[in-house]
């Protein structure tokens, strides 16, 4: 089957056309600056990347541009749209309603809409992408794959905030967690690579990218994760603060005469390693600055490493042990120094990194010594493939 995977943001749309039999991407691409001016970057597998400056006034235009690129006689990869068997959409928030991926119908769309309050920046954009695809590909089955779904197995003790209970009852304020597609894919794959029985294993996944989260996966089910009601909780990220004392919000508001909106922007977009260092949200820039003697950049990476190590320790406690610690996403897959520094805090758990094995980028590997009691691994995430797999399985069930 050929599955088109769509990840729609407010002004961007990422896509991959994946062959579900070979599990290879036939084409990947990105529409940027939707509603501003517009740009399409389209890469057919094994061929030159194509950059098209194209006016993209809205998401309908972006989806149309993607479909034209895929079927183009020059740089296209399929003869006609009839070759697309199904579309898989990434949806950020599925609330408590969605515990797994589903085939999209009108009821599902309404239920996703009802989660908009929980993810006001993301879900409306995801819905716009779904609407645009339904309009331009009528009759093609579509699935929604949720970032929150994998974490719906968290027990109440892990998802409950110490707030008056009425806020959970009235507004469903609780911890949900995100990056679920990645945590699910990576934990399962790590068990295979490490030779563990997934159904009888204790795995901690560190998804360290611009957004970052840790999860505790016990016997194949998420039992805790560091993001909460929104992706702001937990680890320090590129520009997000992660955990802070909530009283800081009032303190800054009074001292700096800032509105709540201003402070939320500060915590989401101007904090994290970017805010701490004043240099960049990108660890490559931070490490270059630190090497050049920038103390703020050095401190920012140390605070990041320390927080991550503390979360790993708390999840080892939550599961009463750990078999494997797994690194994924941009930083986790590529930065051997950060991996080594995090593992430097984990000697008490029995993690011993092998410097040579850790000297890799972007490929699957065990990075600990043979006698390390707990294995550490690098597993590149592949959220698009996970979405394509779920979509293919759901659509096969329809036939
Ligand atoms: P992601 O959000 O998963 O795309 O990850 C993006 C982040 O990964 C960037 O902001 C960088 O901090 C980090 N990253 C990507 N490539 C490298 C690399 N080669 N070395 C260090 N950090 C990297």
């Amino acid at each position: 089957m050929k599955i088109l995977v769509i990840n729609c943001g407010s002004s961007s749309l990422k896509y991959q056309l994946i062959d579900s039999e070979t599990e290879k991407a036939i084409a990947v691409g990105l529409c940027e600056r939707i509603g501003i001016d517009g740009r399409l970057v389209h890469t057919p597998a094994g061929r030159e990347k194509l950059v098209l400056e194209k006016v993209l006034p809205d998401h309908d235009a972006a989806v149309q541009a993607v479909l034209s690129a895929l079927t183009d006689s020059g740089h296209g990869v399929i003869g006609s749209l009839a070759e697309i068997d199904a579309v898989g959409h990434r949806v950020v928030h599925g609330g408590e309603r969605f515990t797994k991926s589903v085939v999209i119908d009108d009821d599902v769309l309404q239920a996703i809409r009802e989660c908009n309050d929980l993810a006001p920046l993301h879900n409306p954009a995801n819905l716009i992408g779904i609407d645009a695809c339904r309009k331009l590909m009528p009759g093609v089955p579509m699935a929604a794959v949720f970032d929150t779904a994998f974490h719906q197995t968290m027990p109440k003790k892990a998802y409950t905030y110490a707030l008056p209970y009425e806020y959970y009852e009235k507004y469903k304020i609780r911890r949900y967690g995100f990056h679920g597609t990645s945590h699910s894919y990576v934990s399962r794959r790590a068990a295979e690579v490490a030779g563990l029985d997934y159904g009888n294993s204790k795995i901690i996944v560190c998804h360290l990218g611009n957004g970052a989260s840790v999860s505790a996966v016990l016997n194949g089910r998420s039992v805790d994760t560091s993001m909460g009601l929104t992706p702001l909780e937990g680890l320090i990220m590129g520009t997000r603060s992660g955990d802070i004392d909530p009283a800081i919000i009032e303190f800054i508001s009074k001292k700096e005469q800032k509105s709540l909106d201003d402070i939320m922007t500060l915590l989401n977009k101007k904090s994290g390693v970017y805010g701490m260092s004043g240099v960049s949200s990108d660890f490559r820039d931070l490490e270059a600055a630190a090497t050049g003697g920038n103390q703020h950049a050095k401190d920012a990476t140390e605070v990041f490493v320390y927080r991550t190590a503390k979360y790993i320790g708390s999840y080892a406690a939550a599961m009463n042990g750990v078999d494997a610690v797994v690194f994924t996403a941009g930083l986790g897959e590529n930065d051997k120094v950060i991996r080594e520094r995090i593992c430097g805090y984990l000697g008490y758990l029995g993690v011993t990194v092998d410097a040579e094995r850790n000297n890799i980028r972007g490929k699957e590997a065990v990075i600990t010594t043979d006698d390390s009691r707990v294995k550490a691994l690098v597993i590149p995430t592949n959220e698009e493939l996970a979405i394509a797999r779920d979509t293919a399985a759901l659509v096969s069930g329809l036939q």
Side-chain angles (χ1 to χ4, degrees):
M1 261 190 241
K2 291 195 177 78
I3 311 285
L4 179 60
V5 175
I6 299 277
N7 181 354
C8 200
S10 55
S11 67
S12 70
L13 186 157
K14 289 189 211 150
Y15 63 94
Q16 286 197 12
L17 186 66
I18 295 179
D19 181 326
S20 66
E21 274 86 45
T22 62
E23 300 209 320
K24 297 269 181 274
I26 305 165
V28 304
L30 166 70
C31 292
E32 291 174 298
R33 302 177 61 83
I34 301 169
I36 305 166
D37 37 33
R39 200 164 100 106
L40 171 75
V41 182
H42 173 77
T43 313
R47 282 151 60 190
E48 281 286 289
K49 146 164 109 178
L50 181 88
V51 181
L52 291 171
E53 302 297 335
K54 201 169 168 66
V55 182
L56 301 173
D58 53 32
H59 287 77
D60 285 1
V63 172
Q64 185 60 64
V66 171
L67 299 181
S68 301
L70 290 170
T71 51
D72 186 85
S73 56
H75 50 262
V77 289
I78 48 176
S80 80
L81 290 185
E83 289 183 43
I84 299 178
D85 296 293
V87 183
H89 292 272
R90 176 189 182 214
V91 178
V92 167
H93 218 305
E96 289 187 326
R97 159 82 189 259
F98 295 105
T99 57
K100 53 184 188 324
S101 306
V102 290
V103 173
I104 295 173
D105 59 20
D106 290 341
D107 282 351
V108 164
L109 284 181
Q110 181 53 29
I112 296 174
R113 233 170 263 129
E114 284 164 16
C115 298
N116 279 2
D117 267 2
L118 295 170
L121 296 179
H122 294 100
N123 270 31
N126 302 152
L127 282 164
I128 289 171
I130 296 173
D131 279 345
C133 287
R134 286 181 113 204
K135 224 184 281 173
L136 294 164
M137 285 180 276
V140 176
M142 304 200 185
V145 179
F146 300 91
D147 266 29
T148 48
F150 182 60
H151 301 302
Q152 277 296 303
T153 47
M154 278 196 286
K156 201 164 190 175
K157 64 184 177 187
Y159 72 65
T160 303
Y161 287 118
L163 293 171
Y165 194 68
E166 64 184 278
Y167 294 115
Y168 171 63
E169 290 180 312
K170 277 203 273 191
Y171 308 118
K172 292 282 175 243
I173 295 179
R174 49 159 282 180
R175 308 185 63 258
Y176 290 93
F178 298 86
H179 293 144
T181 313
S182 176
H183 287 286
S184 164
Y185 172 87
V186 167
S187 57
R188 182 180 287 278
R189 189 70 201 125
E192 283 165 10
V193 173
L196 297 166
D197 171 7
Y198 192 49
N200 185 22
S201 62
K202 297 171 177 178
I203 298 176
I204 295 175
V205 178
C206 307
H207 177 111
L208 309 179
N210 196 34
S213 64
V214 192
S215 67
V217 182
L218 179 64
N219 304 333
R221 292 157 69 89
S222 172
V223 292
D224 211 338
T225 191
S226 57
M227 286 176 166
L229 174 74
T230 76
L232 186 54
E233 188 179 343
L235 294 184
I236 291 163
M237 309 183 209
T239 61
R240 294 189 193 118
S241 64
D243 299 336
I244 58 165
D245 178 345
I248 292 171
I249 293 172
E250 188 203 24
F251 194 91
I252 296 181
S253 165
K254 286 190 172 156
K255 290 281 183 201
E256 300 262 321
Q257 279 87 49
K258 282 191 190 296
S259 70
L260 213 44
D261 276 358
D262 290 342
I263 296 183
M264 292 320 290
T265 303
L266 180 94
L267 296 177
N268 275 298
K269 301 226 178 316
K270 299 180 184 165
S271 299
V273 291
Y274 168 74
M276 283 190 289
S277 67
V279 172
S280 170
S281 61
D282 192 306
F283 275 74
R284 289 164 286 198
D285 301 336
L286 287 177
E287 279 156 22
T291 306
N294 184 317
Q295 191 58 42
H296 291 311
K298 270 190 208 164
D299 292 345
T301 58
E302 190 52 39
V303 181
F304 172 88
V305 163
Y306 177 64
R307 171 89 53 95
T308 307
K310 282 207 299 185
Y311 261 98
I312 294 170
S314 69
Y315 288 171
M319 295 192 288
N320 190 22
V322 55
D323 299 315
V325 177
V326 195
F327 295 96
T328 193
L331 185 62
E333 291 167 24
N334 291 303
D335 196 327
K336 65 176 179 186
V337 178
I338 290 289
R339 289 193 299 258
E340 194 174 298
R341 287 170 67 188
I342 293 170
C343 289
Y345 282 97
L346 308 179
Y348 73 100
L349 285 175
V351 176
T352 312
V353 170
D354 179 315
E356 209 166 299
R357 289 181 181 172
N358 186 38
N359 190 16
I360 47 147
R361 277 170 62 169
K363 61 176 197 191
E364 293 181 344
V366 173
I367 58 166
T368 37
T369 58
D370 287 340
D371 60 359
S372 181
R373 239 184 314 129
V374 171
K375 286 191 166 86
L377 297 97
V378 173
I379 301 288
T381 192
N382 195 339
E383 287 163 288
E384 291 77 13
L385 175 58
I387 292 172
R389 279 182 184 166
D390 275 15
T391 304
L394 283 166
V395 168
S396 306
L398 291 177
Q399 286 163 352

